[in-house]
Amino acid sequence: MLMGGLRRLEYRGYDSAGVAVVGDDGTIATRKRAGKLKVLANDLTEAPLPGGSTGIGHTRWATHGGPTDANAHPHLGDDGRLALIHNGIIENFAELKAELVESGAEFHSETDTEVAALLIGREYRETGDLAEAFQRVVNRLHGAFTLLAVHQDAPDVVVGARRNSPLVIGLGDGENFLGSDVAAFVEYTRRAMEIGQDQIVTIRPDSIVVTDFAGEPVENREFEVAWDASASDKGGWSSFMAKEITESPDAVANTIRGRVSDGAVDLSEIARIDEVLGDVDRILILGCGTAYYSGMLGKYAIEKWAGIPVDVELSHEFRYREPVLSSRTLVISVSQSGETMDTLMAVKYAQERGATTLSVCNTQGATIARESDAALFTHAGPEVAVASTKAFVAQVTALYLIALRLAAVRGTQSTEALAELVDELQAVPTKLSQVIESSGQIAELARGMSDTRSVLFLGRHVGYPIALEGALKLKEIAYIHAEGFAAGELKHGPISLIEPGQRVIVVVPSPRAVDSLHKKVVSNIQEIRARGAYVIAIAEAGDAAVLPFADDVIRIPLAGGMFEPLLAVAPLQIFAMELAAAKGLDVDQPRNLAKSVTVE
Ligand code: M6R
């Protein structure tokens, strides 16, 4: 059961893994191994742990101390009777460690986590109660943490605590679960419960008690997981990434479903935000990586359709520069996982300064969604591959819905114009399916480029975030140097990079797009072609102007200018995936990365 849960959570970190089981024989047994989960699984097959019905398991993304057996979790208390796992960073671990060393403690790892194991183990010896031992320790810890522990003297109990890191409860029948996300237990139950900030949870097979850090009981919201275990299975696909790209049209359709009727967008599910939309005078969109690029598209849409100034910022840059916010600022955070620590901290910072916060999130029960004033969920389903694909198009869809709603509330578009835009958005899933189904050409091109050392991506207007996203995908999973540029910026410096044979992928705007944008991009292509670049153009069906200047043309169906990015991104995702696969790389779990970045 533990290994099954870890398999579903492995995308969150895969440097090392470990389990601890309170055995039916009244002892605690642990096993932990550096490397991917399969290393631990093989080890356990060869030498199984004693049976038991209470246990904890962990997959790690190393922060303090390299990915070794010793640094893998669980860590033990100093009498070896308590085992503990941790997600996050204990920022004051050095002081706590010095104090423990002073009192004679021995450390067996370089992690920050071990101090918590030792401290809670010691407090248990004093109190004989695991939850009370947690209460005594958690307030001494600075930073972010989810901690879970089992003790061999309390064989049917798991205690957990969380501050700024994720933890959810799975409500079973005669059994209960804790997990960093619902994927850990969805095979056994779809009934789940959130755990709030600074809370301690004690689960037994037939009871759940949640308190705050002072031990006062608290009540939390229960929810039903919207998908079942099969949604997070790879099925017959070669990779989760391949499966998830194919699910993109559904991700868009499901994100629209129930939110439009009669050509108008209805966001009554976020009534609290909907009420203030008319009053907002500025919007700030926050996100990291792919979520940030979706935010850039959100900016283009909101400014174009609703006429409100929008800034987009990387979450981790935002709060360190004393940004100006007011009660009329709407802060929209974008996060697939809803757990990205950089974004969570930025949202909290914005709230403290009086802004209204709206989370665009793909994960039920996630911290950012809970902490925000309202959440608009993207219904992309679970995304397991580290490279974000279907979540991206779902995020853009959600931001477009917000833009259209803003336009309606503020009267910046006529009812007819809005209905046309809604129609175009609703047409995206079918067109996106066509793009994905006819991806053989881009896949073949990618497979022929496995020795390529550098690829540049160019785009303008809404093609620019797509160029950035295409470059991120290639770096992330194929380990190839890639950079995205605004095509107009090339002549200001980067054109020096062009030498004969340099691969350049250009996202070409529709000939019907903003003013003369198409002509300008075609000129940009000629400029790089004249310097020897090998050009792959992503262009609208029927666009003949690119033909004389591109070495290869990948066609996408006609879509209104703002909707083109939702189609143009798929070939770039497929390009990166096929190139990584051709290099023999693990497409789903690229080196050094984790799906959910819960440290700053
Ligand atoms: O869960 P989030 O959307 O907050 O994650 C943000 C980024 O870490 C994420 O998009 C990352 O850039 C992806 N691995 C890109 O494919």
Side-chain angles (χ1 to χ4, degrees):
M1 212 176 217
L2 283 175
M3 291 302 284
L6 289 182
R7 229 162 263 129
R8 291 190 189 279
L9 292 190
E10 193 183 12
Y11 67 97
R12 303 178 70 98
Y14 35 84
D15 290 342
S16 55
V19 289
V21 174
V22 183
D24 295 332
D25 60 357
T27 60
I28 201 159
T30 61
R31 185 74 49 79
K32 46 194 203 165
R33 289 289 174 262
K36 292 200 173 166
L37 193 61
K38 59 178 183 256
V39 179
L40 177 68
N42 290 342
D43 199 291
L44 287 169
T45 308
E46 276 172 27
L49 293 181
S53 55
T54 305
I56 51 178
H58 186 264
T59 60
R60 177 167 186 250
W61 183 77
T63 59
H64 294 55
T68 61
D69 286 355
N71 290 333
H73 301 206
H75 293 281
L76 299 178
D78 47 11
D79 59 4
R81 300 169 82 83
L82 169 134
L84 175 138
I85 54 178
H86 168 219
N87 175 15
I89 293 180
I90 298 170
E91 286 167 0
N92 59 334
F93 88 99
E95 293 100 280
L96 296 169
K97 187 168 180 172
E99 180 190 311
L100 284 159
V101 168
E102 179 83 1
S103 68
E106 275 182 39
F107 280 79
H108 303 95
S109 77
E110 302 152 286
T111 64
D112 51 335
T113 303
E114 204 176 353
V115 296
L118 292 169
L119 288 170
I120 296 175
R122 287 180 175 200
E123 293 297 349
Y124 184 89
R125 284 209 292 280
E126 299 253 317
T127 59
D129 182 291
L130 200 48
E132 207 180 324
F134 263 72
Q135 278 169 39
R136 288 186 177 197
V137 173
V138 284
N139 278 316
R140 299 191 61 202
L141 308 178
H142 301 166
F145 50 83
T146 294
L147 299 168
L148 293 192
V150 289
H151 198 288
Q152 72 177 43
D153 298 345
D156 63 347
V157 179
V158 182
V159 176
R162 70 171 288 251
R163 167 177 287 166
N164 289 333
S165 290
L167 186 63
V168 280
I169 304 171
L171 305 162
D173 185 9
E175 56 186 5
N176 289 307
F177 306 84
L178 293 168
S180 286
D181 72 46
V182 296
F185 50 72
V186 74
E187 195 179 343
Y188 303 101
T189 179
R190 287 169 67 176
R191 278 179 64 216
M193 189 188 274
E194 297 175 343
I195 304 178
Q197 210 48 289
D198 286 7
Q199 293 183 357
I200 295 174
V201 53
T202 305
I203 62 165
R204 292 188 165 80
D206 50 7
S207 72
I208 288 165
V209 177
V210 189
T211 71
D212 60 19
F213 277 3
E216 291 303 316
V218 288
E219 292 211 351
N220 287 318
R221 194 181 70 91
E222 211 182 297
F223 63 95
E224 171 95 7
V225 181
W227 44 274
D228 64 19
S230 65
S232 65
D233 286 338
K234 192 152 71 176
W237 293 90
S238 56
S239 65
F240 277 106
M241 186 175 177
K243 173 179 181 250
E244 288 161 6
I245 292 172
T246 313
E247 289 168 346
S248 294
D250 285 345
V252 174
N254 292 339
T255 301
I256 300 171
R257 184 164 301 120
R259 291 171 173 155
V260 298
S261 65
D262 296 333
V265 173
D266 173 2
L267 295 186
S268 47
E269 68 191 275
I270 51 166
R272 178 152 173 224
I273 297 280
D274 207 43
E275 275 166 22
V276 300
L277 288 185
D279 211 33
V280 164
D281 67 356
R282 182 180 160 233
I283 291 178
L284 175 64
I285 304 181
L286 299 170
C288 302
T290 292
Y292 171 72
Y293 299 143
S294 74
M296 289 174 74
L297 290 168
K299 171 186 165 79
Y300 286 108
I302 295 170
E303 291 191 337
K304 183 178 170 72
W305 295 333
I308 306 172
V310 183
D311 294 307
V312 190
E313 215 165 328
L314 291 164
S315 314
H316 39 85
E317 284 297 312
F318 159 71
R319 73 191 175 108
Y320 296 104
R321 59 163 184 83
E322 300 185 22
V324 180
L325 299 170
S326 82
S327 57
R328 294 181 68 195
T329 309
L330 173 65
V331 171
I332 305 177
S333 67
V334 185
S335 176
Q336 186 286 130
S337 62
E339 301 293 351
T340 297
M341 184 62 75
D342 292 316
T343 303
L344 172 62
M345 289 302 158
V347 167
K348 287 187 166 193
Y349 181 95
Q351 278 175 330
E352 282 158 18
R353 272 147 194 83
T356 305
T357 53
L358 170 63
S359 152
V360 171
C361 179
N362 193 43
T363 311
Q364 291 171 288
T367 310
I368 298 173
R370 277 173 34 85
E371 298 284 318
S372 300
D373 296 315
L376 186 69
F377 286 97
T378 49
H379 297 302
E383 192 179 65
V384 176
V386 163
S388 191
T389 55
K390 63 175 178 172
F392 173 76
V393 287
Q395 287 161 351
V396 176
T397 303
L399 289 166
Y400 280 16
L401 288 172
I402 294 169
L404 293 169
R405 178 68 194 150
L406 275 161
V409 170
R410 302 165 82 93
T412 48
Q413 301 286 326
S414 67
T415 314
E416 296 72 33
L418 281 173
E420 256 177 54
L421 291 168
V422 167
D423 272 358
E424 291 197 56
L425 185 59
Q426 287 183 299
V428 166
T430 308
K431 294 179 185 175
L432 185 51
S433 294
Q434 289 164 14
V435 175
I436 295 166
E437 277 159 22
S438 56
S439 61
Q441 186 191 355
I442 191 85
E444 200 175 316
L445 273 173
R447 289 194 285 268
M449 282 171 60
S450 57
D451 56 353
T452 301
R453 295 177 62 85
S454 163
V455 181
L456 305 183
F457 292 76
L458 303 185
R460 261 181 118 123
H461 188 246
V462 286
Y464 174 41
I466 297 303
L468 294 170
E469 172 62 3
L472 174 61
K473 288 285 97 88
L474 195 63
K475 285 184 262 212
E476 183 178 32
I477 60 167
Y479 316 154
I480 290 175
H481 170 256
E483 265 191 89
F485 295 108
E489 186 65 11
L490 222 58
K491 57 190 177 295
H492 298 286
I495 199 162
S496 320
L497 290 169
I498 306 290
E499 53 187 23
Q502 170 69 51
R503 301 297 201 257
V504 185
I505 300 189
V506 186
V507 182
V508 183
S510 159
R512 299 163 296 125
V514 195
D515 299 332
S516 53
L517 203 61
H518 174 262
K519 284 197 186 68
K520 296 218 168 94
V521 173
V522 174
S523 300
N524 295 144
I525 293 178
Q526 292 176 64
E527 287 152 19
I528 52 171
R529 201 55 183 335
R531 289 161 177 84
Y534 183 101
V535 176
I536 301 168
I538 313 286
E540 196 176 83
D543 176 358
V546 290
L547 285 174
F549 313 113
D551 295 277
D552 295 290
V553 182
I554 307 296
R555 294 295 183 185
I556 56 174
L558 269 59
M562 293 300 293
F563 300 95
E564 199 188 330
L566 286 162
L567 309 182
V569 74
L572 304 192
Q573 295 165 343
I574 293 164
F575 178 76
M577 177 179 73
E578 293 291 346
L579 220 166
K583 287 179 75 176
L585 299 172
D586 183 337
V587 167
D588 290 332
Q589 296 185 342
R591 68 186 177 203
N592 304 336
L593 286 166
K595 178 73 178 163
S596 184
V597 187
T598 51
V599 295
E600 275 187 275

